[in-house]
Amino acid sequence: MFDIQEELKKLPKNPGVYIMHDERDAIIYIGKAISLRNRVRQYFRPSHNEGLKKEQMVRQIARFEYIITDSELEALILECNLIKEHRPKYNTMLRDDKTYPYIRVTLGEAFPRVLFSRQMKKDKSRYFGPYTSAGAVKETIELIGKLYCLKTCNRILPRDTGKERPCLNYHIHQCMAPCQGKVSQEEYHRQIEQVIEFLSGNYQPVLKELEDKMQSASDEMNFEKAIEYRELLKAVKQIAQKQKITSSDGEDKDIIAMASDEEDAVVQVFFIRDGKLIGRDHFHVNIGNEDTRPQVLATFLKQFYAGTPFIPKEVMLQEEIEEAAIIEQWLGQKRGQRVYIRVPKKGTKEKLVELAAQNAHMVLSQDKEKIKREEGRTIGALKEIGQLLELEQLKRVEAYDISNISGFESVGSMVVYEKGKPKRSDYRKFKLRTVTGPDDYGSMYEVLTRRFSHGMKEQQELKEQRMENDYGSFTRFPDLIMMDGGKGQVNVALRVLEELGLCIPVCGMVKDDNHRTRGLYYHNREIPIDRHSEGFKLITRIQDEAHRFAIEYHRSLRSKEQVHSVLDDIPGIGTARRKSLMKSFQSLDAIRQADVQTLAGLPGMNQQAAQSVYDFFHRPAVEDE
């Protein structure tokens, strides 16, 4: 079970993206943070207030997960990518497709333009981005216009050359006027190449030129011009930030990295689609001391892509593997195109692999803590109980309880715990056959006799069929029987076992005057238990589960009996129609809310019978005189 308070303590201080899930494991919110620890904890503070919508969201959170990044910028881009992919319920502000601004260079035109775009289409244009600031994109496009004097109008050239006068941009020296034939196509394309080089990241020449112009304007006391260059310089620096989370090539990649210790390994996979990181997943791998990291990665690649329908064009790993060539060939056959397995050594791609490795390390360390904590609650708690009772082998425990109200419909429950966890497939319930009235001891005697007699019979049948390794519903006997009660219930169980010739330890779960678990009754004495120990908590869970299971069964029987008796009073409803109503509806309220048309459509019902049922439940109440 996901313990939110415990998981909050383990949150890192790194920037990243957090993902909130509801009880059905659906993603309901995705957010970014400079510090995951500070931001996520805020949601669960009573004094924190972000409005009614966020309050509703927090009430639905069943668990959360997160992906660490190197900067808030990367977290923002990743947040946008994940929101576009998963469309969470509470991220309405970020659902707009205009989240990503791009710079588009229209290379399909004879005289290309540099434009602002909200979409990346599969055309002959070259796209740069996505970027986080639409204002910075627009300022950069404006800067490119001023520096390189490119065409911005929609005139089709060279078809429309000389047909109209040049626009204002030509007169203010921000366009070379290709519409008037004042620049050749070759010269214009040289300018475009410089623009592409700048947008690809080589912006140092432009920065230097702007700095020189700013300094020159300042020296000439032209402060307005100097401020203009300073603002453009700031825009260039903002737009030129490295964006490791998104690749500008728009291709599909899987980024794979792992973390390991002596026994376990976690492989983290980042899924990049159309150049955007849209999600991630991690996989646990059991390893031996002799397994090397390249061997683990190679084994993972073969197992993972054998069951994955989509194969990306590129798989990036954190280190070389011996089988890279043959795995590339195999993946290429599955994809229908060549697939590349690469180990990036520098730049953006290497950083992505490093981020995947960091997340793998975090998952490995936290999952081991979780597993260790869970073992303490289950196997560790069972060992504590075994030590108290001096039992060496304690794996399977069965607990029993009786439920009745003044002897009405007495029922028994049997719940099973293996290795400290409930095994619900082995739960059994008993409707008492021989006992009438509120006789808990007699009821328990019948339940235990039936349970172990049935088990012995199954064991004998399997032995005769030489199927010792198969198990029937009652075949496996427990290492310990736990009774809901003290000396009396324990003695009933010991009597049954003695009569059947069985030797199974029996203890009682004793409660205090407030009906809370107090200790164990074993070998004619009460054994006190530390109320703060995991063993005590497990005993309490077992006792509560046995009681819950018995109560639920008893409630269902009483409900059926109640429905049965009420339906008997409806005119025209006999045995067949009563069974039809009980089978079609779960409760009297459901029958009461049904209309005549629905009732008439049930098996065995007609319009007259349906009207009779409807009238019975909707007759006016008789007032007291």
Side-chain angles (χ1 to χ4, degrees):
M1 183 177 179
F2 190 89
D3 189 331
I4 289 181
Q5 294 304 319
E6 283 297 319
E7 296 299 324
L8 287 174
K9 296 176 183 177
K10 298 186 299 185
L11 283 165
K13 294 181 180 179
N14 307 61
V17 172
Y18 52 92
I19 305 167
M20 306 297 194
H21 295 257
D22 63 13
E23 59 183 7
R24 297 173 299 172
D25 210 35
I27 295 176
I28 59 174
Y29 186 76
I30 297 172
K32 67 172 179 66
I34 300 176
S35 170
L36 286 166
R37 173 176 294 183
N38 295 342
R39 182 65 180 121
V40 178
R41 283 181 172 183
Q42 286 179 348
Y43 288 104
F44 301 95
R45 290 174 182 162
S47 60
H48 187 61
N49 182 17
E50 290 196 38
L52 180 61
K53 187 174 181 180
K54 287 289 178 68
E55 286 182 12
Q56 293 174 345
M57 183 269 292
V58 172
R59 285 197 293 268
Q60 296 181 40
I61 296 174
R63 72 176 184 91
F64 59 81
E65 59 177 322
Y66 47 87
I67 303 174
I68 59 174
T69 61
D70 273 354
S71 67
E72 186 185 13
L73 175 62
E74 293 176 14
L76 174 63
I77 297 171
L78 177 56
E79 176 196 32
C80 293
N81 293 342
L82 293 176
I83 289 171
K84 285 175 72 70
E85 176 69 15
H86 299 288
R87 298 190 174 274
K89 178 179 179 181
Y90 290 96
N91 284 97
T92 51
M93 289 194 304
L94 296 177
R95 288 188 178 184
D96 197 317
D97 289 336
K98 296 181 180 180
T99 303
Y100 304 103
Y102 294 89
I103 294 177
R104 178 189 176 200
V105 183
T106 60
L107 296 180
E109 299 175 349
F111 291 86
R113 295 169 292 162
V114 179
L115 305 175
F116 180 97
S117 177
R118 288 285 185 180
Q119 294 180 333
M120 179 186 285
K121 299 179 179 179
K122 292 184 178 180
D123 52 19
K124 295 180 180 180
S125 298
R126 178 82 179 269
Y127 290 87
F128 296 88
Y131 300 105
T132 57
S133 171
V137 170
K138 292 175 182 177
E139 286 186 15
T140 302
I141 292 174
E142 183 181 353
L143 168 64
I144 289 172
K146 292 177 179 179
L147 293 177
Y148 300 102
C149 300
L150 301 179
K151 167 180 174 286
T152 59
C153 64
N154 294 324
R155 296 175 185 177
I156 300 175
L157 303 178
R159 187 194 67 181
D160 297 336
T161 301
K163 290 186 177 180
E164 298 181 23
R165 291 181 299 175
C167 64
L168 179 63
N169 284 345
Y170 169 72
H171 297 289
I172 62 175
H173 309 292
Q174 291 188 16
C175 180
M176 294 182 286
C179 61
Q180 301 299 314
K182 295 183 179 294
V183 61
S184 68
Q185 194 167 336
E186 291 77 13
E187 184 181 352
Y188 190 93
H189 274 267
R190 283 195 291 271
Q191 293 288 88
I192 290 292
E193 289 173 3
Q194 293 181 34
V195 171
I196 291 175
E197 188 177 2
F198 163 67
L199 292 175
S200 298
N202 187 15
Y203 49 87
Q204 286 301 327
V206 176
L207 289 174
K208 188 177 185 308
E209 182 179 352
L210 284 173
E211 288 174 354
D212 291 344
K213 288 184 176 181
M214 180 178 67
Q215 187 63 45
S216 177
S218 178
D219 293 341
E220 295 172 1
M221 308 293 286
N222 189 351
F223 297 119
E224 289 186 4
K225 199 68 175 177
I227 291 173
E228 180 183 343
Y229 286 129
R230 185 193 66 187
E231 294 302 314
L232 291 173
L233 188 65
K234 186 187 300 183
V236 172
K237 288 180 178 179
Q238 185 173 2
I239 206 66
Q241 290 183 73
K242 296 294 185 182
Q243 300 188 37
K244 295 182 288 298
I245 287 298
T246 302
S247 170
S248 61
D249 57 19
E251 293 183 350
D252 300 325
K253 301 182 182 71
D254 284 351
I255 313 297
I256 300 177
M258 64 170 285
S260 62
D261 56 19
E262 295 80 9
E263 299 176 350
D264 301 299
V266 169
V267 179
Q268 183 86 32
V269 184
F270 283 1
F271 304 103
I272 295 180
R273 302 294 179 258
D274 291 329
K276 297 183 289 295
L277 177 57
I278 63 168
R280 57 89 186 259
D281 205 349
H282 66 267
F283 304 85
H284 288 272
V285 181
N286 294 324
I287 61 173
N289 293 330
E290 70 284 355
D291 292 331
T292 64
R293 293 166 66 89
Q295 288 173 339
V296 174
L297 285 172
T299 301
F300 174 79
L301 288 180
K302 289 181 282 188
Q303 294 181 0
F304 178 68
Y305 289 113
T308 303
F310 181 83
I311 308 296
K313 182 178 180 180
E314 188 175 4
V315 177
M316 291 191 285
L317 305 177
Q318 65 191 137
E319 54 189 278
E320 301 285 351
I321 60 174
E322 293 182 0
E323 301 175 280
I326 191 65
I327 294 177
E328 275 186 349
Q329 184 179 353
W330 171 59
L331 293 176
Q333 290 177 350
K334 287 177 67 71
R335 176 181 168 86
Q337 298 178 10
R338 184 169 180 182
V339 174
Y340 299 89
I341 296 178
R342 296 191 170 114
V343 180
K345 301 297 184 183
K346 60 181 180 179
T348 299
K349 294 180 180 179
E350 183 194 25
K351 199 61 183 176
L352 273 172
V353 174
E354 288 179 4
L355 286 176
Q358 289 177 28
N359 282 272
H361 277 289
M362 187 167 297
V363 171
L364 178 65
S365 61
Q366 292 183 359
D367 279 11
K368 289 188 78 70
E369 290 179 14
K370 189 182 299 182
I371 292 169
K372 187 176 180 180
R373 188 168 62 250
E374 182 64 19
E375 285 182 350
R377 294 181 66 254
T378 56
I379 297 175
L382 206 57
K383 285 182 179 178
E384 287 183 19
I385 297 171
Q387 290 171 357
L388 282 171
L389 305 180
E390 298 180 351
L391 299 174
E392 293 183 3
Q393 295 293 330
L394 188 56
K395 294 183 179 179
R396 181 182 172 99
V397 174
E398 291 181 4
Y400 295 84
D401 191 18
I402 300 296
S403 177
N404 65 68
I405 297 179
S406 299
F408 174 79
E409 287 285 11
S410 292
V411 298
S413 69
M414 164 185 138
V415 300
V416 180
Y417 275 64
E418 284 193 356
K419 297 181 178 180
K421 296 180 181 180
K423 189 177 183 183
R424 292 182 173 83
S425 61
D426 283 6
Y427 282 18
R428 293 295 180 268
K429 47 197 177 187
F430 303 84
K431 186 175 181 181
L432 276 298
R433 300 169 181 169
T434 62
V435 179
T436 56
D439 183 358
D440 283 355
Y441 291 163
S443 298
M444 188 60 73
Y445 179 86
E446 178 186 333
V447 168
L448 292 173
T449 300
R450 286 167 56 186
R451 184 265 180 267
F452 288 104
S453 296
H454 194 161
M456 294 172 68
K457 181 181 178 181
E458 284 187 350
Q459 288 179 351
Q460 184 61 32
E461 290 174 352
L462 291 173
K463 187 176 181 180
E464 292 173 357
Q465 299 170 14
R466 298 183 178 180
M467 300 170 61
E468 287 84 352
N469 293 328
D470 289 352
Y471 296 103
S473 58
F474 286 123
T475 308
R476 295 188 61 189
F477 286 175
D479 302 312
L480 176 67
I481 297 172
M482 303 186 80
M483 308 299 297
D484 184 43
K487 182 178 179 179
Q489 294 285 13
V490 170
N491 288 338
V492 169
L494 291 173
R495 176 186 164 196
V496 171
L497 295 174
E498 183 180 359
E499 291 176 356
L500 296 175
L502 298 174
C503 184
I504 302 173
V506 181
C507 70
M509 297 177 286
V510 185
K511 294 184 178 180
D512 59 21
D513 295 337
N514 295 319
H515 209 65
R516 293 179 300 189
T517 306
R518 185 176 69 198
L520 292 178
Y521 182 83
Y522 187 63
H523 284 175
N524 295 318
R525 66 187 181 93
E526 185 174 323
I527 302 174
I529 305 177
D530 179 7
R531 289 179 177 269
H532 302 289
S533 68
E534 291 296 342
F536 180 83
K537 294 175 183 177
L538 177 59
I539 292 169
T540 302
R541 290 197 298 271
I542 292 174
Q543 191 171 33
D544 291 343
E545 181 70 354
H547 188 61
R548 177 200 65 79
F549 193 55
I551 289 292
E552 284 188 358
Y553 181 43
H554 187 263
R555 186 181 294 120
S556 69
L557 291 179
R558 284 189 287 120
S559 177
K560 289 179 181 178
E561 184 65 26
Q562 182 184 21
V563 172
H564 176 88
S565 60
V566 170
L567 296 181
D568 278 346
D569 296 332
I570 303 177
I573 301 301
T575 302
R577 287 172 176 165
R578 184 174 65 240
K579 288 182 178 179
S580 179
L581 288 167
M582 293 175 66
K583 188 175 181 180
S584 303
F585 298 93
Q586 297 297 317
S587 65
L588 285 174
D589 285 338
I591 299 175
R592 182 181 291 108
Q593 293 171 11
D595 56 25
V596 176
Q597 204 73 13
T598 301
L599 293 168
L602 299 179
M605 298 288 287
N606 56 28
Q607 193 70 24
Q608 184 178 354
Q611 190 65 51
S612 180
V613 173
Y614 184 87
D615 292 341
F616 180 85
F617 284 106
H618 293 82
R619 61 187 180 222
V622 179
E623 295 183 357
D624 294 334
E625 296 181 358

